[in-house]
Amino acid sequence: MSILDLRGPEFLKLYAFLLLALVPAGILFRWLLSGPYDDHPSHQPELDPLEVAYLGGGGSAATEAAIASLVHDETLTVRGSHPRRLKIAGRLPNAITPLGNAVCASVALDDEQGIDRVRKGVADEAAKLERRLAEYQLVLDPMRRTVAHVVPIVLFIGLFILGVTKIGIGISRGRPFGYLLALTAVALAVLIYFACEVPHRTRRGTRFLKRLKSEHAALHSTAKTAPSQLPADDIALAYGLYGADVLSMGPLAKLQQAMRPRDSEGGGSSSCSSSSSSCGGSSSCGGGGSSCGGGAGCGGCGGGSS
Amino acid sequence: MSMMQTQLSLGIGWRPELALTIDRRKDLGFVEITAENFPRGAVPPAIDRLRERGLAVIPHGNSLSLGGAEPIDRDRVRALADLARRVNAPFVSEHIAFVRAGGMEAGHLLPVPRTRAGLEATIENVKIARDLLAPLPLALENISTLFDWPNAEMSEADFVTEILDRTDSLLLLDIANVWANAKNLGGDPVELLRQLPLGRIAYCHVGGGEEHNGVYHDSHAAAVPEGVFELVTELCAITDPPGVMIERDDDFPPAAVIEAELDRLAQAVAEGARRREGAHVG
Amino acid sequence: MSVEQRQQLAEQQAALVRALAGEANPPDGFDAGNVGTAAAALLVKRRRGVEKTWPGVAESLGDRFPKLFADYARSRSIPPGGHGADGRHFAQYLRRLGLLSDAGRIQLLLAQMGGGPIGVAYLPEARRIVIAYKCFDGVRRFTLPWIFRSRFARRQRRIAGAEEAIDGA
């Protein structure tokens, strides 16, 4: 007797059980495949900023970090609006990375180039950053990545199809299928989640990244509030570790809108204006001091925490 | 009367813009954070890292308005106390000043009238704060001002001394403010220093400013004048402050400039210490 | 300390604060020049605070920022909430005058979204509407073209025309 021949309520129970069992199973499966788990010191190399970016978010994050550092040292500018495009604005710096070079070459193909086109154009060069990361087993090798990615997807495709088929049967027999529809929708949601979450780092890689983020916390604060005096490498590293969060000031602000259309509009603005206190500067958006532009003493902005 | 204070050595006001420079500097003993910038105790990871390295973190308030006729807001004090607990501070600091009156925010630290009324009002507020902060000590800072009240009944030194003595508070000696007041309102800065209760010093501020139309503005947005460093040396020739720090709030210069300023401060302190020790030996 | 003494102290302090905000003359006995200098420095400090917390607004005004801010500061004393709140009120002031840039409107929208899940604003320069909504990982927004000619555009042109007439006179 096929599973589809079960009566409604029994099928529903079975389906719910499968759903409840397979979700953690899928997650566990991916976790099991994400070794090695240690963070032995000998496995912790010196990574350059773009490699760190790759560790954090793959080829596209590395490309964005390269773009951010080129915009920062004014080799590229951001032009236009909706969508924003890149344009060569200055001479290429002497110490440019291969990926940076590829980005400039891609931008130079046209007068102005959209960021997405650049991303696609340099994808191959970006992928090369994976080499050392794979050597130290900070990212999954392609085979394991594929298996970890695909297996839960297949399971849930199966579950989804099962649900849809039974719904079809239910419709053809004029049976109610409300609950099943809900469960199948859940299966679809989980399927989408597993499809979108592409396994990337090993456990070791994730812990290494976390350690790096903690080590460079001061860079995060300074990059968010006073990036102008930082060297391009520091900007690339800040982007690689903390994302578009650090692109909040000056020319980088326009870049932030291009790459992450959500969140604040330039200059630590939204977090400042939404915070109630802000004595000459602000909390989360930086500016720790009381800005005493002239006048006796300092602070006493009278704002204070509410 | 001298009190055993937490030894702090060289320090700086922590600002996100300076975070990287501060992180890389290896001879700091403490940082000061502006309390109002970290509501609900939300402190950036960079500061926790400094704490792990052994630096002390001191919350510095700007908005209690201890010198105001209105009784202070207890919630603000509690917030300061919470922040101090969060960063395991040895003490907290505020100002002998008021920042609001008549329902209006001044937006600035204003001098308290040096009258009996002003004195008593300040002492009452400080006592309320101390009770809420206990057992955490409270250090009070002398401010700079471009004008004086016309009805002063006592000198600034006497005013500050009486407040600190009657509330048993520490002194946050802002050396640059003493220098600025002497410049703008007259007086000998070294004399002013000697009359302050130097035994109560918890730590010292040193900040920069600029002159416009013959008036010196203590803006913390410019280099520290040489005269202030000289005054630091004079102070250190008399006493040994547990800590001295640089304040910078705006127009942040390159890291090298901040480093140089910290070096100059350390040098000024060392020079004063040499003179002090020479005087003992000789 | 007696009640009368405290009351008198409160009044004295309030009179000084009003004088520094430019709303009254300095009380008797104060050096008017020094108080004036302090008041001017206070305005600069306030302006600098808003410039740092609402940079988009300040930048878009360019040279007009100091004058416009001084006009606004005269009309409104510092609100509680520090420079962030001051900037928000300034942005609202500019919007009433029709002088708030698109960047400023977006920042104002995000600041005012505090309570609700969704916010909408019109961007006159880009002639688009922006819709911001809260997502689990922050606030996202997107824009749509605004196909109707707006009253705003006509008012902008009228203001610009008036400014030109004054400049020309």
Side-chain angles (χ1 to χ4, degrees), chain A residues 243-280:
Chain A
D245 194 25
V246 306
L247 302 182
S248 62
M249 311 235 356
L252 294 174
K254 292 199 205 155
L255 192 61
Q256 183 190 57
Q257 292 158 38
M259 305 215 284
R260 292 280 184 276
R262 70 180 106 103
D263 285 356
S264 53
E265 173 90 7
S269 36
S270 73
S271 41
C272 293
S273 36
S274 57
S275 81
S276 51
S277 75
S278 247
C279 198

Coordinates of all heavy atoms in Angstrom, one line a residue, chain A residues 243-280:
Chain A
G243 N 31.1 44.0 7.2 CA 30.1 44.2 6.2 C 29.8 45.7 5.9 O 30.6 46.5 6.3
A244 N 28.7 46.0 5.3 CA 28.4 47.3 4.8 C 28.2 48.3 5.9 O 28.2 49.5 5.7 CB 27.2 47.3 3.9
D245 N 28.1 47.8 7.1 CA 28.0 48.6 8.3 C 29.1 49.7 8.4 O 28.9 50.8 8.8 CB 28.2 47.7 9.5 CG 27.8 48.3 10.8 OD1 27.0 49.3 10.8 OD2 28.3 47.9 11.9
V246 N 30.3 49.3 7.9 CA 31.4 50.3 8.0 C 31.4 51.3 6.9 O 32.2 52.2 6.8 CB 32.8 49.5 8.0 CG1 32.8 48.5 9.0 CG2 33.1 48.9 6.6
L247 N 30.5 51.2 5.9 CA 30.5 52.1 4.8 C 29.6 53.3 5.1 O 28.7 53.5 4.3 CB 30.0 51.4 3.5 CG 30.8 50.2 3.0 CD1 30.2 49.7 1.7 CD2 32.2 50.5 2.9
S248 N 29.8 53.9 6.2 CA 28.7 54.9 6.6 C 29.1 56.3 6.3 O 28.3 57.2 6.5 CB 28.3 54.7 8.0 OG 29.4 55.0 8.8
M249 N 30.4 56.5 5.9 CA 30.8 57.9 5.8 C 31.4 58.3 4.5 O 32.1 57.5 3.9 CB 31.8 58.2 6.9 CG 31.4 57.7 8.3 SD 31.4 58.9 9.6 CE 32.0 60.4 8.9
G250 N 31.2 59.5 4.1 CA 31.9 60.0 3.0 C 31.6 59.3 1.7 O 30.4 58.9 1.5
P251 N 32.6 59.2 0.8 CA 32.3 58.5 -0.5 C 31.8 57.1 -0.3 O 31.1 56.6 -1.2 CB 33.7 58.6 -1.2 CG 34.7 58.9 -0.1 CD 34.0 59.6 1.0
L252 N 32.2 56.5 0.8 CA 31.7 55.1 1.0 C 30.2 55.0 1.2 O 29.6 54.0 1.0 CB 32.5 54.5 2.1 CG 34.0 54.3 1.9 CD1 34.7 53.8 3.2 CD2 34.3 53.3 0.8
A253 N 29.7 56.1 1.7 CA 28.2 56.1 2.0 C 27.4 55.8 0.8 O 26.5 55.0 0.8 CB 27.8 57.4 2.6
K254 N 27.8 56.4 -0.4 CA 27.1 56.1 -1.6 C 27.2 54.7 -2.0 O 26.3 54.0 -2.5 CB 27.6 57.0 -2.7 CG 27.4 58.4 -2.6 CD 27.5 59.1 -3.9 CE 27.9 60.6 -3.7 NZ 28.6 61.2 -4.8
L255 N 28.4 54.1 -1.7 CA 28.6 52.7 -2.0 C 27.7 51.8 -1.1 O 27.1 50.8 -1.6 CB 30.0 52.4 -1.7 CG 30.5 51.0 -2.3 CD1 30.4 51.0 -3.8 CD2 32.0 50.8 -1.9
Q256 N 27.5 52.2 0.1 CA 26.7 51.5 1.0 C 25.3 51.3 0.4 O 24.7 50.3 0.4 CB 26.6 52.1 2.4 CG 25.8 51.3 3.4 CD 25.6 52.0 4.7 OE1 25.0 53.1 4.7 NE2 26.0 51.4 5.8
Q257 N 24.7 52.4 -0.1 CA 23.4 52.4 -0.6 C 23.3 51.4 -1.8 O 22.4 50.7 -2.1 CB 22.9 53.7 -1.1 CG 22.7 54.7 0.0 CD 22.8 56.1 -0.5 OE1 22.3 56.4 -1.6 NE2 23.4 57.0 0.2
A258 N 24.4 51.4 -2.6 CA 24.4 50.6 -3.8 C 24.5 49.1 -3.4 O 23.8 48.3 -4.0 CB 25.6 50.9 -4.6
M259 N 25.2 48.8 -2.3 CA 25.4 47.4 -2.0 C 24.4 46.8 -1.0 O 24.1 45.7 -1.1 CB 26.8 47.2 -1.5 CG 27.8 47.7 -2.5 SD 29.3 46.8 -2.7 CE 30.1 47.3 -1.2
R260 N 23.9 47.7 -0.1 CA 22.9 47.2 0.8 C 21.8 48.2 0.9 O 21.9 49.1 1.7 CB 23.6 47.0 2.2 CG 24.6 45.9 2.2 CD 24.0 44.6 2.4 NE 25.1 43.6 2.5 CZ 25.7 43.0 1.5 NH1 25.4 43.4 0.3 NH2 26.7 42.2 1.7
P261 N 20.8 48.2 0.1 CA 19.8 49.2 0.1 C 19.1 49.4 1.4 O 18.4 50.4 1.6 CB 18.8 48.8 -1.0 CG 19.4 47.6 -1.6 CD 20.5 47.1 -0.8
R262 N 19.1 48.4 2.3 CA 18.5 48.6 3.6 C 19.4 49.5 4.5 O 20.4 49.9 4.1 CB 18.2 47.3 4.2 CG 19.4 46.6 4.7 CD 19.0 45.2 5.3 NE 19.3 44.1 4.5 CZ 20.3 43.3 4.6 NH1 21.0 43.4 5.6 NH2 20.5 42.3 3.8
D263 N 18.9 49.7 5.7 CA 19.7 50.4 6.7 C 19.9 51.9 6.4 O 19.2 52.5 5.7 CB 21.0 49.8 7.0 CG 20.9 48.5 7.8 OD1 19.8 48.2 8.2 OD2 21.9 47.8 8.0
S264 N 20.8 52.4 7.1 CA 20.9 53.9 7.2 C 21.3 54.5 5.9 O 22.0 53.9 5.1 CB 21.8 54.3 8.3 OG 23.1 53.7 8.1
E265 N 21.0 55.7 5.8 CA 21.4 56.5 4.7 C 22.6 57.4 5.1 O 22.5 58.3 5.8 CB 20.3 57.5 4.3 CG 20.6 58.6 3.3 CD 20.3 58.1 1.9 OE1 19.7 57.0 1.8 OE2 20.6 58.8 1.0
G266 N 23.8 56.9 4.8 CA 25.0 57.7 5.1 C 25.3 58.3 6.5 O 24.3 58.7 7.1
G267 N 26.5 58.3 6.9 CA 26.9 59.1 8.0 C 26.2 58.7 9.3 O 25.8 59.5 10.1
G268 N 26.2 57.4 9.6 CA 25.7 56.9 10.9 C 24.4 57.6 11.2 O 24.1 57.9 12.4
S269 N 23.6 57.9 10.3 CA 22.5 58.8 10.5 C 21.3 58.1 11.3 O 21.0 58.5 12.3 CB 22.0 59.3 9.2 OG 22.1 58.3 8.2
S270 N 20.8 57.0 10.7 CA 19.6 56.5 11.3 C 19.8 56.1 12.8 O 19.0 56.4 13.6 CB 19.1 55.3 10.5 OG 19.9 54.2 10.8
S271 N 21.0 55.5 13.0 CA 21.1 55.1 14.4 C 21.3 56.3 15.3 O 20.9 56.3 16.4 CB 22.4 54.2 14.5 OG 23.4 54.6 13.7
C272 N 21.8 57.4 14.8 CA 21.9 58.5 15.6 C 20.6 59.1 15.9 O 20.2 59.5 17.0 CB 22.8 59.6 14.9 SG 24.5 59.2 14.8
S273 N 19.9 59.3 14.8 CA 18.6 60.1 15.0 C 17.6 59.3 15.8 O 16.7 59.8 16.4 CB 18.1 60.5 13.7 OG 18.3 59.6 12.7
S274 N 17.8 58.0 15.8 CA 16.8 57.2 16.5 C 17.2 57.0 18.0 O 16.4 56.7 18.8 CB 16.6 55.8 15.9 OG 17.8 55.2 15.8
S275 N 18.5 57.3 18.3 CA 18.8 57.1 19.7 C 18.5 58.4 20.4 O 18.6 59.5 19.9 CB 20.3 56.9 19.8 OG 21.0 58.1 19.7
S276 N 18.0 58.3 21.6 CA 17.5 59.4 22.3 C 18.6 60.3 22.8 O 18.5 61.5 22.9 CB 16.5 59.0 23.4 OG 17.2 58.0 24.2
S277 N 19.7 59.7 23.3 CA 20.8 60.5 23.8 C 21.8 60.7 22.6 O 21.8 59.9 21.7 CB 21.5 59.8 24.9 OG 22.3 58.7 24.4
S278 N 22.5 61.7 22.7 CA 23.5 61.9 21.7 C 24.3 63.1 22.1 O 24.0 64.2 21.5 CB 22.9 62.1 20.3 OG 23.1 61.1 19.5
C279 N 25.1 63.0 23.0 CA 25.8 64.2 23.5 C 27.0 64.5 22.6 O 28.0 63.9 22.8 CB 26.2 64.0 24.9 SG 26.6 65.5 25.7
G280 N 26.8 65.3 21.6 CA 27.9 65.7 20.7 C 28.4 64.4 20.1 O 29.6 64.1 20.2

